[in-house]
Amino acid sequence: MLLDLLKEQESGNKNILIKRRIISYYAHHKTSTIPNLARELKLSVPTVTKALSDMCTEGYILNYGKVETTEGCPPTLYGLNPDIAYFIGVDVHLFELNIGIMDLSGELKQLSMNLPYHLENSDMARDQVCQYIAHFIQNSHLCEEKILNVGINIPGRVNPISGYSYSWFNQTDIPLTRWFSDQLKVPVTIDNDTRAMIYGEQLNGCARGYENVIFINLSWGLGAGFILNGEVYTGRSGFSGELGHCNVFDNEILCHCGKKGCLETEVSGMALHRMVLESLKNGKASILQQKFESGQELTLADIIEAICAEDPLCLELLEEIAVKLGRYLSALLNLLNPELVVIGGTLAAAGEFLLAPLRNSARKNTLSLIYHDSEIVLSDLKEQSGVIGACTLARRKIFDRFMG
């Protein structure tokens, strides 16, 4: 099995080391010819040829056929066998949960979106995540030995190295990763949800090829992720990106972090939901008025649907949030001077209704030369960015762990 090769402790075995390097290269570059692979790994062509021949026999590598060329003998393209290993990504939200599975080549094979869930810091909520994952694995009909890693996205403060979550599921002293691994009998890693989203955009979305990127996760809360010099930035303990908990307002609104005046209290899906309910209580006209007065639950999805239907009240409140976000985004632009800003998360579904006032506000508050260096766009992966990011991070971490 591939995992056995990656975990092989015979570090002095030259053949194993070469195979590990080949696997790692193909995991990041998908396909390559023997001459190109030898050049990239600084190995001789005969050495690479022998290793690839063995790995084809073992089933790790596939021959993808000849490369068309106008000169000389066409070289053969090789790559990993995508079906020898899989990675599961779990994207935990406040009111839903998404799970996907990705093969070794990075292709998403299965996806379950919007599974009913309510995030809270309890054993029951943690256990439900575990049950969803176990059920998903069972229904995938895959050999469990081929699942190399499960990556779980969690909002808030997460240390991906130690495996601890400090915002959710922190009832026990043991690392959360160990608890999940013991239950599922599969290696588990965790990371912050926004950081996973920006990693997904970097590999599969609109951030491909960019070296310096800011990702804004405007969902029920507010978070930020950063790509700096081509690498996803984590901070010392994995706590970077807590944009929503910058204290910027002189208000009496209590944030879920326990403090007052956080940016998230006025710039988030939570803030928009509260503002809409308050306006409806005060008799403001809206297409949501009838549902509100009937006593039915008014969700954030209902509000986004009303925005897309150009409801004046919801548009006005969204614009208010966008203007405030643009003002504080300008501070990040002035500090980091990125090439790209990606707006993702639940409220990104509002599209240009969100983007236009946000851009105008950022332009007004950012130094002109810096603003024109940055393009502000909506996420390519949209609501799938978190689960795709979780899968790709799960894939990356298993190779980082075993390949060194």
Side-chain angles (χ1 to χ4, degrees):
M1 299 298 293
L2 177 61
L3 186 58
D4 296 329
L5 174 61
L6 296 178
K7 292 170 67 176
E8 175 62 60
Q9 297 301 309
E10 297 175 46
S11 57
N13 186 314
K14 185 177 179 181
N15 289 331
I16 289 175
L17 291 176
I18 290 172
K19 288 180 180 181
R20 285 179 177 180
R21 292 180 65 193
I22 290 172
I23 290 171
S24 181
Y25 181 84
Y26 279 130
H28 292 89
H29 299 87
K30 295 198 174 180
T31 60
S32 177
T33 63
I34 289 177
N36 286 340
L37 183 61
R39 183 167 55 251
E40 291 292 330
L41 299 184
K42 296 181 172 56
L43 296 170
S44 69
V45 169
T47 297
V48 170
T49 301
K50 174 64 168 61
L52 281 181
S53 176
D54 292 343
M55 295 172 79
C56 284
T57 301
E58 294 160 349
Y60 300 146
I61 299 293
L62 293 180
N63 180 328
Y64 283 91
K66 301 290 185 180
V67 179
E68 292 186 11
T69 178
T70 57
E71 298 180 3
C73 180
T76 301
L77 206 60
Y78 293 91
L80 288 175
N81 179 351
D83 294 323
I84 60 172
Y86 296 92
F87 307 88
I88 290 176
V90 184
D91 190 30
V92 178
H93 292 254
L94 189 61
F95 298 116
E96 63 191 28
L97 187 143
N98 304 320
I99 307 182
I101 190 162
M102 182 175 283
D103 67 20
L104 193 59
S105 70
E107 181 182 346
L108 203 61
K109 306 298 290 185
Q110 295 180 36
L111 192 62
S112 292
M113 298 289 291
N114 305 318
L115 299 171
Y117 180 73
H118 180 67
L119 177 61
E120 57 183 33
N121 197 25
S122 69
D123 290 344
M124 185 172 66
R126 179 202 58 193
D127 294 349
Q128 190 178 8
V129 173
C130 194
Q131 290 163 10
Y132 267 129
I133 298 170
H135 184 70
F136 183 84
I137 291 174
Q138 183 179 2
N139 287 348
S140 71
H141 303 298
L142 296 174
C143 174
E144 291 189 19
E145 292 182 352
K146 291 186 176 183
I147 299 173
L148 300 196
N149 195 22
V150 175
I152 305 175
N153 297 346
I154 304 172
R157 288 157 295 288
V158 176
N159 188 324
I161 304 300
S162 68
Y164 282 95
S165 167
Y166 296 89
S167 298
W168 307 96
F169 310 149
N170 50 18
Q171 294 88 354
T172 64
D173 292 333
I174 67 170
L176 186 61
T177 49
R178 190 197 306 169
W179 185 90
F180 272 110
S181 296
D182 289 344
Q183 300 298 313
L184 296 169
K185 311 304 179 188
V186 177
V188 174
T189 54
I190 61 173
D191 214 320
N192 170 266
D193 58 342
T194 305
R195 191 155 49 240
M197 293 167 81
I198 195 173
Y199 189 69
E201 292 288 346
Q202 183 188 38
L203 290 191
N204 301 290
C206 58
R208 280 174 296 187
Y210 288 90
E211 291 290 308
N212 297 283
V213 182
I214 296 172
F215 184 94
I216 301 296
N217 179 11
L218 187 58
S219 295
W220 189 255
L222 175 65
F226 308 99
I227 297 172
L228 303 178
N229 298 322
E231 293 293 327
V232 176
Y233 180 73
T234 63
R236 178 178 177 179
S237 300
F239 302 156
S240 67
E242 291 293 342
L243 178 63
H245 299 294
C246 295
N247 190 288
V248 296
F249 295 119
D250 185 17
N251 64 31
E252 291 299 312
I253 303 172
L254 184 66
C255 182
H256 67 84
C257 73
K259 300 182 184 299
K260 295 179 180 179
C262 289
L263 181 60
E264 190 173 286
T265 62
E266 297 191 24
V267 181
S268 62
M270 172 184 61
L272 178 61
H273 186 262
R274 184 192 68 243
M275 292 159 63
V276 168
L277 290 182
E278 289 174 352
S279 297
L280 292 173
K281 286 178 185 177
N282 292 329
K284 294 287 184 70
S286 168
I287 61 177
L288 297 173
Q289 192 72 46
Q290 183 176 357
K291 185 171 186 178
F292 172 74
E293 291 178 349
S294 71
Q296 298 180 63
E297 181 185 6
L298 200 62
T299 66
L300 192 56
D302 293 328
I303 296 171
I304 293 171
E305 186 177 341
I307 289 169
C308 295
E310 301 188 31
D311 176 65
L313 173 64
C314 293
L315 283 174
E316 178 186 345
L317 296 177
L318 178 71
E319 182 175 349
E320 184 179 328
I321 285 174
V323 169
K324 290 176 182 176
L325 178 57
R327 184 186 310 149
Y328 293 101
L329 175 61
S330 69
L332 294 179
L333 294 177
N334 287 336
L335 283 170
L336 298 177
N337 186 207
E339 308 152 74
L340 184 70
V341 177
V342 182
I343 308 299
T346 308
L347 293 193
E352 286 297 322
F353 295 120
L354 171 69
L355 203 57
L358 191 157
R359 282 174 173 160
N360 288 337
S361 177
R363 185 187 306 112
K364 290 177 183 177
N365 293 285
T366 308
L367 292 172
S368 180
L369 287 174
I370 293 178
Y371 178 81
H372 290 294
D373 270 352
S374 302
E375 184 182 6
I376 303 177
V377 301
L378 294 170
S379 162
D380 268 359
L381 303 180
K382 300 179 182 176
E383 69 275 6
Q384 293 185 10
S385 62
V387 68
I388 290 175
C391 289
T392 50
L393 266 179
R395 182 172 171 269
R396 172 178 174 171
K397 286 176 180 178
I398 204 73
F399 285 105
D400 285 351
R401 181 190 303 167
F402 294 135
M403 308 304 288

